[in-house]
Amino acid sequence: MYLSKFHLSTVKEAPAEAEIISHQLMVRAGMLRKLGAGIYTHMPLGLRVLKKVENIIREEMNRANAIELLMPVIQPAELWQESGRWGKMGPEMMRVKDRHERDFIVQPTSEEVITDIARNEINSWRQLPINFYHIQTKFRDERRPRFGLMRSREFIMKDAYSFDVDKDSLMRSYQNMFDAYVRIFERLGLSFRPVEADTGKIGGFASHEFQVLADSGEDLIAYSTGSNYAANVEQAEALALGTRANGKSNLQVVDTPTQKTCEEVCALLGVDLLSSVKAVMFMADAGFVLCIVRADHIVNEVKLGKLAGMGNLRPALESEIKEFLGVVPGFCGPVNPVQKITVVADRTAAAMSDFICGANQIGKHLSGVNWGRDCPEPDVVADIRNVVEGDPSPDGQGTLKLCRGIEVGHVFALGDVYSKALNCSYIDKNQQAQIMQMGCYGIGVTRVVAAAIEQNHDERGIIWPTSMAPFTVAIAPIGYGRFPDVKAAAHKLYDELSAAGVDVLLDDRDERPGVMFADLELIGIPHRVTIGDRGLKEGMLEYQARRDTAPTKVAVGEIVKHLHAALA
Ligand code: ATP
Ligand code: MG
């Protein structure tokens, strides 16, 4: 590509609303232009990157025997009513009407359509397993679109769907996709980690997220120092810290007129925070739920919500807390509630003795509290807290550390939720109809681009991994208009590299070197060859990788070989 024939539109300043570096750099590099909240035009430079990412994904999906098709963006409501998601999806799903007042949705995902395809196209066990995918625009009316392509409303996703005869076969399809994802993110040159994820309300057998490690990530990941264990904090299992000792202290009421938090109460009593527990109240199918965790721990509502009776979980209102515990928040605990409640204790809290908690009386706490002696044993003891750094790894090897991640991909062994709802069945070897087992597998193509920048940039701009760079090599002639030998050498190199299939950009704008270098660095071209009149007279050019601090002199006759080595 000749830069004079391309549309490059770099800008000096990023808009104030661009909070994270990838968003700032994508705007400054001219990859993106905003049309509305969370809606962007992919400018020519950005589109080149997207296409490179898409191609890698496509190649690896095809290699894994997934079959590409293309499903519609606009989908009739009927299928979504059949699956039950028309009622469940909430405002994130965009609904539209056609001229006949018929309901449609703008696809946030495509389980319904693909299941409809499968039930119509697949009849026999002989046709299974099969995996279909497409790379297509999605729309989700996110509550807070932000961070540019990281959390936009319109975005591009690769979504694949596998269909199998049974669970064992599904788990093989799942592993096949998992392995393909590892290859994809490796080829994209990203530092990533597959982590165990919540299988959520849908159920399902297994789920992993592929997280690109970056401080700006919205997800919190726990990983072990002693093994490969890694999980989203939503999911990572928290073990009991310690075992319960016999209580030694007597139950005492302590006055805490203004002390409502565990920190304040422990400071007043001059004791360690870890000797106190925290009460968090919810309403659920089981009624009023009092959760008890150690004072320094945080209740994990995802985990709590999965326990029996915890459907329709929501924080309790102050009026409900008064009704069931007889007190206002700040003084709540498991001892003497005024009505029947369900007490759910975290494993660590259940292992405590002689602890401090609220007394269910205004301005009072209790110390020396013991389960079974001063209040009943908890109704439920379970893992209901977030892991914290230093917790033992649930696989018994090492301890946990936390880091932030950007979820770029998600694989999910769904089971039969959608296939059952849509009656997607096949005829087995014994002529019996059986429901298919499904998996679904997404990659946020546009989010991958943003995540790559979060991981690869410096103060001058983007540093693309070669595999997704908009151009692989930039030729930067100094004095393009003034020195015929420079111009000739630049075109000769351009032709040679193009002929060798290298994606090369020739900056033939005849700009000052400062402007030229600033642009090429901002847009992150990973390899640059600078051609100057003086160097040429000595038979030399300069090569500089985007991460190099200084250029390397290379003989004119050696440059193509040198580049091929750098690209390998
Ligand atoms: P998140 O928790 O980030 O909202 P999700 O669980 O809703 O993600 P999935 O439904 O699993 O995401 O979608 C598959 C992939 O699509 C995600 O892994 C992510 O890479 C991408 N994705 C989801 N929502 C967005 C969005 N609003 N903008 C850009 N990419 C997105
Ligand atoms: Mg989401």
Side-chain angles (χ1 to χ4, degrees), residues 92 140 142 151:
E92 208 173 279
R140 294 183 185 177
E142 299 276 356
R151 184 165 297 283

Side-chain angles (χ1 to χ4, degrees), residues 31-42:
M31 295 175 65
L32 276 189
R33 289 294 176 253
K34 180 175 170 178
L35 186 63
I39 304 177
Y40 297 91
T41 296
H42 299 286

Side-chain angles (χ1 to χ4, degrees), residues 276-280 291-300 344-346 349 352 384-385:
S276 152
V277 301
K278 180 160 63 188
V280 189
C291 292
I292 299 289
V293 292
R294 198 173 72 181
D296 60 323
H297 288 151
I298 290 176
V299 173
N300 178 318
V344 184
D346 179 59
M352 289 168 70
I384 55 161
R385 69 173 174 95

